[in-house]
Amino acid sequence: MIAPDVETGIARLRDLFEAASVIVPFTGAGISTECGIPDFRSPGGIWTKNRPIPFDEFLASQEMRNEAWRRRFAMEEHFAKARPGRGHLALASLYRAGKAPGVVTQNIDNLHQSSGIAADDVVELHGNSTYAVCLGCATRYELSWVKERFGSSGKAPDCPACDGHIKSATVSFGQAMPEAAMLRAEEMTRSCDLFLAIGSSLVVWPAAGFPLMAKRNGARLVILNREATELDDVADLVIRGDIGTVLSPFIAH
Ligand SMILES: [Zn+2]
């Protein structure tokens, strides 16, 4: 069912939330646009202007590593200032109320953690852009450290402990999906009786797989997105509207 208007959608969503025992939210870029985080894939987005750097090129070339870090630092004005939006706060409320065990996200902006969901309960399919890791020994490095080293040497630093390359903790094109996160996401998906897909066009793999998995497992499926998605036909409820507006009534104060 596609909600005829936002008010009807909110009322129906309230009923579904009340009836559900375990809600698993799955979020994409749309939940963070009101926070000033650009949707990289959208027309005019960063990825349509700058071809993303594939993982093998990052590994193969110092210049590509420099470029990757230059781009990351150029985006810092968006990421450093971003605060959780109404959608994040509503999901954190469901989490605190014990209705949602956590959240599965395609986003790399750390805003679910900032909204109060424990880091362990934020399942990040594409990693996290707010810190870096050594690809050799998995040591975590803060962006400020990378920036300082880059500034003084003029090139992207390698790990002082193992000489491995240091990369933002995101999953690049051509890089393997994080196995633990994928397993956890699957586990959560199978545990829920309400799957809530928010702000994702549900096209990019594996985004489309989880809602279908939930549905096949007997859960209800709600899709909240500004535009139509690939899975609207199989959803129990589709709300096409502004995510912050639709979810703000569910923020517990
Ligand atoms: Zn290392």
Side-chain angles (χ1 to χ4, degrees):
M1 168 213 179
I2 297 177
D5 55 69
V6 167
E7 289 68 32
T8 311
I10 291 172
R12 183 82 186 101
L13 190 56
R14 191 182 299 281
D15 293 343
L16 287 169
F17 280 176
E18 276 164 19
S21 324
V22 180
I23 302 168
V24 167
F26 177 96
T27 63
I31 197 171
S32 294
T33 46
E34 74 173 15
C35 312
I37 303 284
D39 180 354
F40 308 112
R41 291 184 176 86
S42 70
I46 292 172
W47 286 358
T48 58
K49 289 180 217 151
N50 270 328
R51 183 185 66 100
I53 298 170
F55 188 55
D56 58 343
E57 293 182 24
F58 181 93
L59 292 181
S61 146
Q62 178 73 49
E63 182 42 44
M64 280 299 169
R65 292 193 288 280
N66 295 349
E67 175 62 14
W69 279 110
R70 278 194 291 267
R71 287 184 193 180
R72 177 61 188 83
F73 294 136
M75 275 161 39
E76 188 59 11
E77 53 174 319
H78 297 293
F79 279 92
K81 276 190 303 208
R83 297 289 172 269
R86 292 169 292 172
H88 298 98
L89 297 175
L91 298 185
S93 299
L94 289 175
Y95 172 74
R96 276 197 305 273
K99 278 282 203 179
V103 58
V104 179
T105 187
Q106 297 175 278
N107 298 339
I108 56 174
D109 53 30
N110 206 55
L111 290 175
H112 287 299
Q113 291 91 328
S114 306
S115 74
I117 299 181
D120 278 349
D121 294 328
V122 180
V123 181
E124 296 174 314
L125 299 179
H126 296 165
N128 189 309
S129 174
T130 64
Y131 61 93
V133 285
C134 168
L135 295 173
C137 68
T139 298
R140 173 178 168 144
Y141 291 94
E142 300 310 317
L143 296 192
S144 54
W145 182 92
V146 177
K147 196 170 191 174
E148 195 189 307
R149 291 290 179 111
F150 199 158
S152 58
S153 71
K155 59 179 195 173
D158 288 331
C159 176
C162 80
D163 276 339
H165 300 317
I166 294 172
K167 184 179 167 295
S168 76
T170 50
V171 178
S172 294
F173 285 90
Q175 191 172 4
M177 294 298 292
E179 209 171 315
M182 289 294 287
L183 282 172
R184 182 91 190 280
E186 196 175 319
E187 225 174 74
M188 273 169 63
T189 300
R190 290 189 195 283
S191 78
C192 76
D193 57 0
L194 178 62
F195 192 93
L196 182 58
I198 302 170
S200 170
S201 52
L202 303 177
V203 178
V204 181
W205 190 87
F210 292 108
L212 287 174
M213 189 187 290
K215 192 68 193 145
R216 275 198 295 264
N217 202 41
R220 297 267 179 85
L221 172 62
V222 174
I223 295 176
L224 166 53
N225 198 45
R226 263 186 178 285
E227 289 88 33
T229 78
E230 296 284 304
L231 299 181
D232 287 358
D233 289 347
V234 300
D236 297 275
L237 173 66
V238 176
I239 308 174
R240 288 190 192 143
D242 177 67
I243 290 163
T245 306
V246 172
L247 290 179
S248 58
F250 301 100
I251 301 172
H253 294 285

